[in-house]
Amino acid sequence: MTVLKSKRKESQFEVFHHFYKMRRDITDLLLRDFGYSSKKSEQYLQRLFGGRSYDELNDTEKQHYNLRKGKTNAFEKWFILDQRQAVTDCLRGVGENIFVANSIYPLYPEELIERRIHQDRAIGQCNRLLQELQYAIETLPVDINVYLRFAESIEKEINLIKGWRKADNKFQRAFSDSATNFANVNNNGNANYNNASNSNGVRPDFDAATK
């Protein structure tokens, strides 16, 4: 039976597929300096003063021009570089944590806890990414609407990770069932094949062969 795509549950691998796409898209934005253009910024500055040259401005206008020009120079000299690195660090943080989480197949409760910690850290890095990206685009003289599609992409990644984390509840249920059945006994009062009367039901802390 074919299930409509809209009705299907997202697979765990969608977390990784979407992450790659999100990272490529945001990297492209970084390569374009968040959409900032020094040429457009200079043109705006010229229009602001009626197209007059610097020498034609009065002292008050020159002071205002210098402040504007200084801010423009700061964008190019350090702000864009700094924010680009911050966003890149967030992307790397998301990738590192989802890959580490995926490398842990929980056979014991403590391994499930470790896996969840990395899933939570990936979500945290996504939220940090949202804030860093929003700050950069709100600070730079660029179209803030550009931010919206990237915010939606990051939110989707967060939801995918949360769905993956929720799906891991199956491991918790398996651990609970295992603990419940650990010392079950039969009608004669004897523990069964897989329970505490033998080593199948325990995780020994020593090598039985050396006893």
Side-chain angles (χ1 to χ4, degrees):
M1 177 179 169
T2 302
V3 180
L4 292 175
K5 185 175 181 181
S6 60
K7 299 294 184 181
R8 295 177 194 164
K9 290 184 178 179
E10 299 283 3
S11 94
Q12 168 187 333
F13 297 105
E14 183 64 19
V15 173
F16 303 96
H17 295 324
H18 183 71
F19 169 71
Y20 285 131
K21 181 180 183 304
M22 180 184 78
R23 187 172 189 176
R24 284 194 302 268
D25 290 344
I26 295 177
T27 299
D28 179 66
L29 180 69
L30 300 183
L31 292 172
R32 294 185 289 106
D33 294 339
F34 300 95
Y36 173 78
S37 168
S38 58
K39 182 178 180 180
K40 288 182 179 180
S41 183
E42 185 64 34
Q43 290 172 345
Y44 172 77
L45 199 56
Q46 291 297 323
R47 290 196 303 271
L48 191 63
F49 294 97
R52 290 173 294 162
S53 67
Y54 183 80
D55 292 335
E56 295 175 304
L57 304 180
N58 61 42
D59 290 343
T60 301
E61 289 172 329
K62 284 180 179 179
Q63 185 178 17
H64 185 45
Y65 179 93
N66 290 336
L67 288 173
R68 287 270 186 171
K69 187 64 175 177
K71 191 174 183 180
T72 298
N73 291 339
F75 288 151
E76 298 175 16
K77 287 182 178 179
W78 69 269
F79 182 82
I80 291 174
L81 294 175
D82 186 67
Q83 281 304 116
R84 184 188 291 137
Q85 187 61 58
V87 171
T88 299
D89 288 344
C90 292
L91 286 168
R92 287 174 176 162
V94 177
E96 175 185 352
N97 281 289
I98 62 174
F99 290 122
V100 171
N102 189 55
S103 71
I104 302 171
Y105 188 84
L107 297 177
Y108 304 101
E110 60 269 25
E111 292 173 331
L112 180 59
I113 291 171
E114 182 69 17
R115 177 163 153 132
R116 186 185 178 102
I117 286 172
H118 286 288
Q119 291 167 332
D120 289 345
R121 287 176 179 170
I123 292 172
Q125 288 294 328
C126 282
N127 282 309
R128 181 185 165 212
L129 177 59
L130 276 171
Q131 298 304 317
E132 292 290 353
L133 201 55
Q134 181 177 13
Y135 175 64
I137 292 176
E138 286 183 348
T139 303
L140 291 166
V142 296
D143 182 5
I144 198 170
N145 291 320
V146 169
Y147 170 77
L148 299 179
R149 74 180 183 93
F150 294 104
E152 290 173 358
S153 182
I154 298 167
E155 289 288 357
K156 180 177 179 180
E157 182 68 11
I158 290 173
N159 290 331
L160 287 169
I161 297 171
K162 286 181 177 179
W164 175 27
R165 188 179 62 183
K166 184 177 180 180
D168 277 357
N169 287 337
K170 64 180 182 290
F171 294 110
Q172 187 62 54
R173 288 192 294 270
F175 296 147
S176 297
D177 291 344
S178 177
T180 300
N181 296 323
F182 180 76
N184 284 349
V185 297
N186 59 25
N187 292 332
N188 296 322
N190 296 319
N192 62 31
Y193 172 76
N194 279 318
N195 294 308
S197 62
N198 56 43
S199 63
N200 291 335
V202 299
R203 186 183 183 191
D205 292 327
F206 59 88
D207 187 349
T210 61
K211 185 176 177 182

